[in-house]
Amino acid sequence: MNQITVVICNYNYEHYLAASIDSALAQDYPGTTVLVIDDGSTDGSRAIIEQYGNRISSVFKRNGGQVSAYNYAIEALETEFVIFLDSDDVLYPSAVSEVMRLFAHGKWAKVQFRLDVMDGAGMPTGAYVPHSEPPADCGILLMGGWLYPSPPASGNAYRVSALRRIFPVPEEGVNLYGADFYAIYGVALSGPIATVPKSLGGYRVHNADGATVSFANSEQINKAPRAFNMRWAILRNIARVRLQLELPPTFHDFSHEKASFCSSVYHATFLTRWRWMLHDSRGYLHAIVANPFWSVKKKLATLMLSSLCLVPCSPLSDFVVRYISNPLARRRAAGR
């Protein structure tokens, strides 16, 4: 039987950590082991981890950020397969069995699955991510600069040998976080991607509010574009040096462009919205029109919604931005 490790990287998430560990231990796949890497937490995380004794393996390291935790784990892993479970997320009991069934019948570099969105208290919101499924050969599209639809970190199972072609990733300077970016997209350069078309876990969103443009737990909306650009530059260098592959200087991704759209248009004046649409919306519109993962219907709907930001009605414009950027806003609108 192939073995798999569920790695939980934790930093100061004592309120959610036990639920995450319990979900990993509750997997119905017998060949599952659990490794918890605590990245220098200053809360009560250590005491929680120690309560599990030899049911899990644990590492307590100095705080170095998510990238350093991934680097450590990928070097130390003794299994050929791994899931990196965020310490505030959970896996459903059959998650590992489902992904290992696919790994057993294909040379997949990664198997991904949907995650149900939970609020901060762990209650389901009715939303899930992602909404689109990528083709198996995401590497070809990545070579053209397209980031493929992927769940957040916890919704991905990897072949460790594929990850080791990308990691370790530089930890210096501002590149402390976003390790899942390199795993999700870098691994597609090493082999095909498989998708389980159903939810196998829960993704906790701490600001789960459909009344805001903010969605997910990553960088603030105005910082995300800069962070993605930096990570793409680092991934390009890794691909060039280690894989002898040349990625394009820029990339295309609706989530990335959506962040620019939101930070520029939300709560903006009528003139500012028009100015952005006329002068700065090229990347945003290209990510819609040329999107290889979307249907024509979805493209037209998104373009029509985006055009409503040009009407001289700020409340309507702000509603449209929230609707486009935050899946939870769509749930609220549908429930009215």
Side-chain angles (χ1 to χ4, degrees):
M1 173 180 287
N2 288 322
Q3 304 293 302
I4 184 171
T5 304
V6 178
V7 175
I8 302 172
C9 299
N10 174 70
Y11 177 68
N12 284 351
Y13 263 173
E14 62 174 332
H15 297 300
Y16 315 109
L17 180 58
S20 182
I21 296 174
D22 288 343
S23 77
L25 290 173
Q27 293 302 301
D28 60 14
Y29 186 78
T32 306
T33 58
V34 181
L35 168 63
V36 181
I37 299 178
D38 187 80
D39 190 39
S41 293
T42 57
D43 62 0
S45 293
R46 184 176 189 123
I48 292 171
I49 295 168
E50 290 176 340
Q51 289 176 359
Y52 287 88
N54 60 9
R55 297 174 64 198
I56 64 173
S57 298
S58 57
V59 173
F60 299 95
K61 60 184 286 294
R62 294 179 59 182
N63 180 248
Q66 187 193 42
V67 170
S68 72
Y70 269 54
N71 283 342
Y72 180 94
I74 291 168
E75 180 181 5
L77 282 169
E78 297 180 355
T79 60
E80 175 58 356
F81 302 97
V82 64
I83 294 176
F84 282 94
L85 176 64
D86 284 348
S87 57
D88 56 340
D89 294 342
V90 296
L91 294 175
Y92 298 160
S94 64
V96 171
S97 292
E98 294 276 1
V99 299
M100 293 306 290
R101 188 175 299 116
L102 284 176
F103 276 128
H105 295 93
K107 296 296 184 181
W108 308 110
K110 189 188 87 164
V111 175
Q112 66 179 52
F113 48 89
R114 291 195 322 227
L115 295 172
D116 291 327
V117 177
M118 310 181 297
D119 64 17
M123 298 300 294
T125 65
Y128 61 83
V129 287
H131 291 95
S132 303
E133 292 185 14
D137 196 352
C138 298
I140 292 178
L141 289 169
L142 199 66
M143 291 298 295
W146 282 99
L147 303 188
Y148 66 91
S150 173
S154 303
N156 301 280
Y158 301 97
R159 191 178 296 272
V160 174
S161 56
L163 283 175
R164 285 178 175 157
R165 300 187 68 191
I166 305 300
F167 287 80
V169 168
E171 303 173 18
E172 298 81 12
V174 296
N175 194 43
L176 300 178
Y177 305 100
D180 51 331
F181 178 93
Y182 304 106
I184 288 168
Y185 300 114
V187 80
L189 299 172
S190 298
I193 308 298
T195 300
V196 179
K198 62 180 178 180
S199 296
L200 296 179
Y203 172 53
R204 193 184 305 266
V205 176
H206 298 278
N207 54 347
D209 183 359
T212 70
V213 296
S214 183
F215 179 71
N217 306 313
S218 56
E219 294 86 359
Q220 297 177 0
I221 197 75
N222 59 338
K223 293 181 179 179
R226 295 195 299 273
F228 265 52
N229 287 326
M230 176 199 69
R231 289 167 192 155
W232 179 255
I234 293 173
L235 181 60
R236 285 188 72 216
N237 186 62
I238 291 173
R240 182 185 304 115
V241 173
R242 300 181 190 168
L243 305 179
Q244 289 74 54
L245 296 174
E246 191 65 38
L247 294 174
T250 58
F251 64 90
H252 312 292
D253 176 59
F254 180 71
S255 295
H256 167 78
E257 296 296 343
K258 183 174 64 177
S260 298
F261 166 72
C262 294
S263 61
S264 301
V265 175
Y266 194 57
H267 289 332
T269 65
F270 178 60
L271 289 177
T272 299
R273 284 179 266 138
W274 266 94
R275 188 179 301 114
W276 187 85
M277 284 291 189
L278 288 173
H279 301 290
D280 301 311
S281 63
R282 182 176 179 180
Y284 176 74
L285 296 176
H286 179 76
I288 298 172
V289 174
N291 197 308
F293 312 108
W294 286 11
S295 67
V296 173
K297 181 180 178 180
K298 185 172 182 178
K299 293 178 183 181
L300 290 174
T302 307
L303 288 172
M304 290 177 63
L305 278 171
S306 301
S307 69
L308 293 177
C309 293
L310 300 177
V311 301
C313 177
S314 294
L316 176 59
S317 174
D318 289 344
F319 170 78
V320 167
V321 174
R322 290 194 299 271
Y323 191 91
I324 291 174
S325 66
N326 189 339
L328 301 180
R330 302 165 208 166
R331 302 293 303 185
R332 286 185 60 174
R336 288 177 181 172

